[in-house]
Amino acid sequence: MTKAEIANEIAKKTGIDKSTTIEVIEQFMTVVKDSLAHGENVYLRGFGSFIIKERAEKTARNITKNTAVIIPAHNIPAFKPAPVFKEAVAKG
């Protein structure tokens, strides 16, 4: 499902015009992105959490040059679904 399809569904169900719905979705994504960039997790009760996972430094191999490469520690965004969300998906 694309962002436009989500906006269409929300507009249909709420009666709000599509352009306003798209703007709300865009702002939601911006707020989540900015929060994670500043080290703050985002918790949505009954849906899930957008969290930051810390990856430790590790050594990898460049097989074409047969050399060791150090990959520095870094943070990555992740989504952890709520138990209610997991159950709903499992039931289909």
Side-chain angles (χ1 to χ4, degrees):
M1 188 171 228
T2 65
K3 184 175 19 174
E5 292 170 337
I6 292 170
N8 285 334
E9 286 293 316
I10 292 171
K12 259 194 269 181
K13 291 182 180 182
T14 62
I16 300 171
D17 62 294
K18 185 179 172 185
S19 61
T20 304
T21 305
I22 289 174
E23 182 62 29
V24 169
I25 292 169
E26 288 286 339
Q27 289 304 314
F28 171 77
M29 292 188 308
T30 301
V31 168
V32 170
K33 199 182 326 176
D34 290 346
S35 295
L36 292 175
H38 289 96
E40 301 172 14
N41 293 334
V42 178
Y43 303 102
L44 302 172
R45 185 171 297 198
F47 186 75
S49 303
F50 295 94
I51 59 174
I52 299 168
K53 288 189 174 183
E54 298 174 6
R55 298 285 183 189
E57 181 179 283
K58 65 181 180 180
T59 303
R61 303 273 319 153
N62 181 344
I63 58 172
T64 59
K65 296 180 181 178
N66 197 25
T67 58
V69 178
I70 305 268
I71 299 173
H74 59 281
N75 295 330
I76 60 165
F79 176 74
K80 183 178 178 186
V84 176
F85 185 105
K86 287 181 189 178
E87 291 171 11
V89 172
K91 289 180 183 176

